[in-house]
Amino acid sequence: QRHAQGRPTIAFAPNKNVSRTLSDALATLGARSVHLDGHTRKKEREQAVEALRNGDLDVITNCGLFIEGFDAPLVSCVLICTSTLSLTKWLQMVGRGMRVSPQSGKQDLLVLDHGSCAHRLGLPDADRDWFRGGVPLT
């Protein structure tokens, strides 16, 4: 809350129960939060994304929905509450907030990595040796 307040946020959870619990916990702190997963109706998902885009929602917590194919350039905080050994998944999750959005005034991206993915897989913007599986160059 201290770091991400006022930033449109996407949160990634390892399962539906954690995502729901996280959404509820954020709501008790005053965040306008909603949980979405693969069983959420398409119209409800679309409404939540639109609410995030227009400032009526602060956080979308999810399990497995927004790892790829999600475009919301105004997202300026990505909350990683899951762990992965997949470089692709890690870069995709962080990538949800790395899009440029001049019209929103977004100047940076805050990544809160509670899954220690950066420690295992390197920072998202690291120079990498792609011939060796994307190992960060030191």
Side-chain angles (χ1 to χ4, degrees):
Q1 180 182 19
R2 180 177 62 228
H3 298 293
Q5 191 167 15
R7 291 175 173 265
T9 300
I10 297 291
F12 294 93
N15 60 53
K16 293 178 209 175
N17 289 336
V18 171
S19 180
R20 279 190 204 98
T21 301
L22 178 60
S23 181
D24 292 344
L26 291 168
T28 65
L29 296 172
R32 298 167 299 171
S33 179
V34 67
H35 153 79
L36 303 176
D37 64 48
H39 290 102
T40 307
R41 291 187 320 259
K42 182 178 179 184
K43 184 167 181 77
E44 189 177 339
R45 290 192 311 246
E46 290 170 351
Q47 288 171 337
V49 170
E50 185 59 30
L52 184 71
R53 283 187 177 123
N54 67 29
D56 292 332
L57 190 62
D58 300 313
V59 183
I60 295 176
T61 68
N62 84 98
C63 173
L65 276 185
F66 298 117
I67 294 171
E68 59 185 45
F70 174 70
D71 187 34
L74 63 98
V75 169
S76 67
C77 180
V78 177
L79 180 57
I80 310 293
C81 296
T82 188
S83 186
T84 184
L85 295 175
S86 167
L87 176 60
T88 301
K89 185 175 179 181
W90 163 236
L91 295 177
Q92 287 282 11
M93 288 188 293
V94 173
R96 299 312 95 209
M98 291 183 79
R99 287 181 170 78
V100 177
S101 180
Q103 62 273 22
S104 73
K106 174 176 140 182
Q107 296 182 354
D108 60 11
L109 171 65
L110 175 63
V111 178
L112 300 171
D113 177 18
H114 297 285
S116 297
C117 299
H119 178 73
R120 271 189 309 287
L121 301 167
L123 294 174
D125 61 349
D127 290 326
R128 297 179 182 278
D129 182 344
W130 293 107
F131 293 104
R132 294 182 38 226
V135 175
L137 300 173
T138 54

